[in-house]
């Protein structure tokens, strides 16, 4: 075992957990992710605490919950009050690198991000946010815009491969984050070779997609899967580069995503919702020199604030006091029991595609190995037995036979909220507390 492993953390945008071959999806072609899963610890109940782009990213970077770091909506600025994951790795002697989508600067989606706002990352090829994947810009060390060649996820992958190759002869460890924009919509912009892999009319739909949405769902899934198959190929390329440079044994390699995508499950679209298609993400962690190359599937819940402390724990690095998440490393080693019964999920302020006029609402909830339980501001809202009802078709909330279970889950949720000092107030309270300005959809206006 190497005392200081390299860490390659790869995450996409809006890739839900079930949209992988290894999770049983019959249509999506993910041979490299499937092979990676056979050599990895798979955290099968990994969830996004607040299933939305900027909140997840700020949480990943700080190990803190959104009510602490303040990024509970998109397009606001993450301050540098906390010790970031890059800070912690750098203090332990690591080189740090970030390539791709950032989305926590909040001062314009195409503006230059200065060094003091990079949360400790040194190597830097980044744009705040774009979904124009074939005409994608970025900044490096100066405020001169550059453009990724072709499909940006491929170009960003090539840059990450070059970064790894440049360190082939070095013993200094590195922490490399690669942040892809796909498979986030627009769905139909992957390279043609991947779009040709899918015919909408041949795709299977989840049982919770209503008949009225079948045509739209198949159309969008075809493009969504095309993006995922492209990313799958690039995962394979990264793993090949690690092997060719002799770095694979002592590298922690993670593939995950910031949140999922409903794609007409429950008749709904996009993220922010409390259903599994929105909150659950793939999370594969391969570390051959410690966990061998054996598949280990873990059902215990794992939350986005837990990512930073777990990566530090696996790397033998002290966890900063500013971190609120849990270090799962002892549990993964098998030396301690699972550290949490449930993962908290939340919508702190409904906005945008989940604004109130579209059914959006504040909620707090928990996802356990088996159950989903959610309250809104009026009281208990959702209860699902995910073992018996994997498509979450039957809401058991207030069903007389479930009253004792509902009480147990409600008590657990309340204890977890109390621990987080979360009073579960209306979203406007937090918007005003942080001084954010929002438009009629509840969204912080996007600055180009």
């Amino acid at each position: 075992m190497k005392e200081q492993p390299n860490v390659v953390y790869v995450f996409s945008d809006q890739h839900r957990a079930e949209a992988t071959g290894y999770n049983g999806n019959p249509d999506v072609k993910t041979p490299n992710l499937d092979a990676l899963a056979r050599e990895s610890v798979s955290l099968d109940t990994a969830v996004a605490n607040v299933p939305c782009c900027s909140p997840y990213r700020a949480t990943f970077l700080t190990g803190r919950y959104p009510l602490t770091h303040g990024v509970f909506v998109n397009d606001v600025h993450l301050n540098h009050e906390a010790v970031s994951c890059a800070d912690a790795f750098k203090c332990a002697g690591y080189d740090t690198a970030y390539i791709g989508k950032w989305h926590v600067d909040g001062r314009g989606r195409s503006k230059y991000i200065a060094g003091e706002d990079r949360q400790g990352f040194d190597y830097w090829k980044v744009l705040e946010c774009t979904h124009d994947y074939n005409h994608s810009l970025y900044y490096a060390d100066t405020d001169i815009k550059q453009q990724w060649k072709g499909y940006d996820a491929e170009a960003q992958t090539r840059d990450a491969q070059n970064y790894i190759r440049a360190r082939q002869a070095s013993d200094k460890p590195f922490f490399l984050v690669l942040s892809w924009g796909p498979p986030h919509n627009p769905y139909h912009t992957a390279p043609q070779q991947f779009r040709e892999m899918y015919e909408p009319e041949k795709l299977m739909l989840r049982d919770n997609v209503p008949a009225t949405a079948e045509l739209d769902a198949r159309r969008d899934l075809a493009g969504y899967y095309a993006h995922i198959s492209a990313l799958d190929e690039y995962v394979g390329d990264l793993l090949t580069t690690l092997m060719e440079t002799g770095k694979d044994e002592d590298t922690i390699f993670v593939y995950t995503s910031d949140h999922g995508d409903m794609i007409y499950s429950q008749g709904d679209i996009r993220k922010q919702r409390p259903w599994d298609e929105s909150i659950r993400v793939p999370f594969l962690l391969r570390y051959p020199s410690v966990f061998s190359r054996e598949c280990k599937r873990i059902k215990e819940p794992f939350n986005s604030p837990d990512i930073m402390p777990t990566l530090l724990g696996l790397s033998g690095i002290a966890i900063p006091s500013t971190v609120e998440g849990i270090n799962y490393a002892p549990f993964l080693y098998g030396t301690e029991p699972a550290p949490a019964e449930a993962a908290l999920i939340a919508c702190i302020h409904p906005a945008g595609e989940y604004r109130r006029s579209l059914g959006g609402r504040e909620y707090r909830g928990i996802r356990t190995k088996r159950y989903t339980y959610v309250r809104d501001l009026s009281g208990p809202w959702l209860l699902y037995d995910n073992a018996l009802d994997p498509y979450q078709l039957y809401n058991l909330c207030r069903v007389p036979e479930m009253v004792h279970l509902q009480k147990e889950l409600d008590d657990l949720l309340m204890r977890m909220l109390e621990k987080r000092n979360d009073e579960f107030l209306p979203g406007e309270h937090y918007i005003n507390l942080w001084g954010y300005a929002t438009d009629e959809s509840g969204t912080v206006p996007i600055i180009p």
Side-chain angles (χ1 to χ4, degrees):
M1 174 181 172
K2 183 178 178 181
E3 287 187 7
Q4 289 188 307
N6 305 305
V7 179
V8 177
Y9 189 89
V10 182
F11 73 107
S12 57
D13 192 335
Q14 217 159 281
H15 186 179
R16 67 191 192 189
E18 70 82 32
T20 54
Y22 74 88
N23 272 328
N25 185 299
D27 293 320
V28 66
K29 298 173 178 64
T30 55
N32 291 294
L33 288 173
D34 300 347
L36 177 64
R38 291 192 291 270
E39 297 184 347
S40 296
V41 175
S42 175
L43 292 159
D44 289 345
T45 317
V47 306
N49 166 246
V50 171
C52 193
C53 295
S54 297
Y56 170 91
R57 292 159 193 276
T59 291
F60 159 64
L61 290 168
T62 64
R64 304 175 112 181
Y65 283 81
L67 285 181
T68 302
H69 58 60
V71 184
F72 51 86
V73 289
N74 279 346
D75 295 289
V76 297
H77 182 68
L78 173 64
N79 62 44
H80 204 163
E81 291 178 357
V83 177
S84 73
C85 54
D87 292 332
F89 275 105
K90 190 151 62 171
C91 286
Y94 280 65
D95 287 333
T96 60
Y98 198 105
I99 300 168
K101 178 180 176 180
W102 185 242
H103 210 184
V104 291
D105 189 64
R107 294 164 175 167
R109 289 191 168 190
S110 60
K111 300 292 178 62
Y112 176 68
I113 300 169
E116 62 268 21
D117 291 317
R118 297 177 183 178
Q119 296 288 331
F121 288 97
D122 291 326
Y123 185 89
W124 184 260
K125 291 192 176 178
V126 169
L127 191 73
E128 172 76 347
C129 181
T130 183
H131 297 298
D132 188 357
Y133 304 129
N134 294 291
H135 304 90
S136 179
L137 304 175
Y138 70 93
Y139 295 95
D141 293 328
T142 69
D143 62 355
I144 300 172
K145 284 183 182 177
Q146 302 183 61
Q147 184 167 339
W148 295 111
K149 182 179 179 180
Y151 187 58
D152 63 359
E154 179 176 4
Q156 291 158 2
T157 301
R158 303 299 171 240
D159 197 73
Q161 290 175 276
N162 289 336
Y163 181 89
I164 295 167
R165 292 187 187 109
R167 281 147 184 79
Q168 180 170 1
S170 174
D171 289 329
K172 188 176 183 181
F174 59 85
F175 174 50
L176 167 63
V177 177
L178 175 57
S179 171
W180 288 320
H184 187 294
N185 52 295
Y187 301 115
H188 305 285
T189 57
Q192 184 175 353
Q193 71 199 76
F194 300 104
R195 286 185 277 123
E196 290 175 348
M197 295 167 64
Y198 298 99
E199 299 178 52
E201 63 274 12
K202 294 183 178 180
L203 299 179
M204 298 285 290
L205 297 180
R206 290 175 66 75
D207 290 356
N208 55 16
V209 176
T212 54
E214 287 183 2
L215 290 176
D216 289 336
R218 286 196 174 92
R219 177 201 65 212
D220 287 352
L221 282 171
Y224 185 67
Y225 290 164
H227 279 310
I228 290 170
S229 289
L231 302 183
D232 177 83
E233 180 169 299
Y234 309 148
V235 166
D237 293 341
L238 288 165
L239 293 172
T240 297
T241 298
L242 287 171
M243 181 183 67
E244 290 174 347
T245 56
K247 300 288 188 183
D248 57 330
E249 283 292 316
D250 289 314
T251 293
I252 297 170
F253 184 94
V254 171
Y255 175 76
T256 187
S257 190
D258 57 355
H259 53 77
D261 191 333
M262 297 299 293
I263 313 184
Y264 296 98
S265 285
Q266 311 290 346
D268 222 332
I269 59 171
R270 311 292 191 255
K271 59 262 189 182
Q272 299 186 69
R273 284 78 172 164
W275 291 280
D276 270 3
E277 291 86 359
S278 170
I279 65 169
R280 287 185 56 214
V281 295
F283 199 101
L284 297 176
L285 187 154
R286 191 186 76 161
Y287 188 4
S289 67
V290 171
F291 297 121
S292 186
R293 294 180 184 267
E294 298 178 4
C295 175
K296 184 177 183 181
R297 305 202 70 155
I298 291 175
K299 302 299 182 185
E300 282 73 13
F302 179 77
N303 210 345
S304 40
D306 307 326
I307 297 168
M308 175 180 168
T310 299
L311 293 177
L312 293 174
L314 290 171
S315 303
I317 299 171
I319 296 166
S321 61
T322 53
V323 166
E324 296 176 333
I326 301 169
N327 174 17
Y328 271 64
F331 170 61
L332 298 181
Y333 292 143
T335 59
E336 292 184 10
E341 295 180 74
L344 274 173
I345 57 173
C347 176
I348 294 164
H349 176 70
E353 292 169 326
Y354 193 56
R355 57 188 177 270
R356 299 188 195 283
S357 63
L358 297 177
R361 63 182 83 179
E362 297 92 334
Y363 65 78
R364 303 291 191 274
I366 50 174
R367 183 59 162 87
T368 74
K369 280 197 298 185
R370 179 166 181 173
Y371 299 106
T372 299
Y373 174 68
V374 184
R375 293 179 66 102
D376 65 14
L377 288 172
S378 64
W381 173 29
L382 301 172
L383 171 58
Y384 297 110
D385 183 338
N386 299 305
L388 300 179
D389 179 22
Y391 298 103
Q392 299 179 315
L393 293 170
Y394 306 104
N395 184 5
L396 303 175
C397 202
R398 298 189 177 91
V399 171
E401 294 83 358
M402 297 293 131
V403 64
H404 295 299
L405 173 64
Q406 183 177 317
K407 176 69 164 56
E408 289 177 10
L409 294 172
D410 193 72
D411 288 346
L412 176 57
L413 171 60
M414 292 303 157
R415 291 195 301 271
M416 295 182 75
L417 292 179
E418 183 178 7
K419 184 177 180 181
R420 295 264 57 84
N421 296 314
D422 183 351
E423 299 178 85
F424 190 9
L425 299 172
E428 286 75 15
H429 168 83
Y430 303 104
I431 290 290
N432 293 332
L433 181 68
W434 285 85
Y436 299 145
T438 59
D439 61 20
E440 65 280 358
S441 72
T443 305
V444 174
I446 294 172
I447 303 171

